[in-house]
Amino acid sequence: MPAKKAIVPALTKEWTLPPAATLGSSVRTKGILLEVRAQLPSALKKAVDVRGAELIVSMPKTAADDFKAVSAVVSKTLVGIENLPVIPREIQDILTISPTERHRWLKDGRLHSAGTRTVKLRGRAKKITFHVFDPRHVEDVLDRDLIAVWREDDAETAAENRRLAAGKRALARVEKTRSKEAPVADDGPEDAGRHKLKGWAEFERDGLLR
């Protein structure tokens, strides 16, 4: 029995995404796909998909009008797509960094925020706000390999902080030892002489001066 042939949609169109847009990241490419789909009605979103670095519109021949409309939306959305702000999960994939590093370097100014975006995630009642990044800034960080430099700087800072903390703990132990060894303050000349006499404590306890 001959194998069934795959059904190929009669209408297809492809757009190759430039490297300046994807920044070599599959996560970023998927983000561009979602950005394009967001411009389409729900019933037509799945007509657009991604394969490698290409966006593809595939529709049956009977949907010629919808195919034309979707293709126009895709073409329009992709104009200037290389300037689409980079969101957190994308920058983490592009630069191969952790969320902790992203937060730390954003806080100390090494990563430059290009503003914030507020969205409502599917299945969540509350909206979330997060920082986005200029793709050219991200590209510059990537090209100059600044991540390696920042990690080395952070490692040196952490080592210095550990050294200072160890010094403080050692000093605290010395001060604590000194406080334990310090003599009890005397009440007066009489007490001073009393502490010098051997057995004075027993003498007082027996009440021989009463």
Side-chain angles (χ1 to χ4, degrees):
M1 184 176 178
K4 292 183 179 180
K5 293 184 179 180
I7 299 176
V8 179
L11 302 173
T12 62
K13 189 172 183 179
E14 300 178 359
W15 293 258
T16 299
L17 300 174
T22 64
L23 296 174
S25 165
S26 59
V27 176
R28 172 72 168 171
T29 302
K30 182 64 178 296
I32 293 173
L33 170 64
L34 296 178
E35 183 70 17
V36 171
R37 283 180 172 177
Q39 314 305 317
L40 297 170
S42 298
L44 299 176
K45 291 181 185 295
K46 293 297 180 66
V48 187
D49 209 344
V50 65
R51 183 178 61 201
E54 294 183 337
L55 286 185
I56 304 170
V57 172
S58 301
M59 302 183 75
K61 189 175 182 179
T62 54
D65 290 342
D66 286 340
F67 176 80
K68 183 177 179 180
V70 170
S71 297
V73 170
V74 174
S75 295
K76 182 179 179 180
T77 305
L78 291 182
V79 174
I81 197 64
E82 64 274 7
N83 297 317
L84 180 70
V86 178
I87 62 177
R89 66 171 177 265
E90 295 172 356
I91 193 173
Q92 289 169 195
D93 185 64
I94 295 167
L95 300 180
T96 319
I97 63 176
S98 67
T100 300
E101 289 174 324
R102 172 173 58 84
H103 285 296
R104 179 170 64 247
W105 295 335
L106 175 62
K107 184 178 181 180
D108 65 22
R110 282 180 279 185
L111 280 179
H112 304 160
S113 172
T116 59
R117 177 184 292 183
T118 300
V119 299
K120 182 178 180 181
L121 299 180
R122 183 181 303 175
R124 295 189 182 183
K126 294 183 178 180
K127 295 181 179 180
I128 63 169
T129 299
F130 51 83
H131 287 271
V132 296
F133 306 88
D134 187 319
R136 301 290 72 79
H137 169 58
V138 177
E139 188 175 34
D140 180 60
V141 171
L142 184 65
D143 290 345
R144 294 166 62 193
D145 197 20
L146 292 180
I147 297 303
V149 176
W150 294 348
R151 284 175 175 159
E152 184 176 349
D153 290 344
D154 288 351
E156 292 177 357
T157 299
E160 178 65 12
N161 289 340
R162 287 193 296 269
R163 187 187 67 78
L164 292 176
K168 289 181 179 180
R169 289 193 297 269
L171 181 59
R173 287 194 296 270
V174 171
E175 292 178 346
K176 185 176 181 180
T177 301
R178 286 177 178 174
S179 65
K180 288 182 178 180
E181 295 176 349
V184 179
D186 296 329
D187 295 331
E190 183 180 347
D191 289 323
R194 181 186 304 168
H195 290 305
K196 293 178 181 179
L197 295 176
K198 185 176 181 181
W200 184 265
E202 291 79 2
F203 191 72
E204 281 190 321
R205 184 178 62 245
D206 294 337
L208 298 178
L209 296 181
R210 295 177 184 172

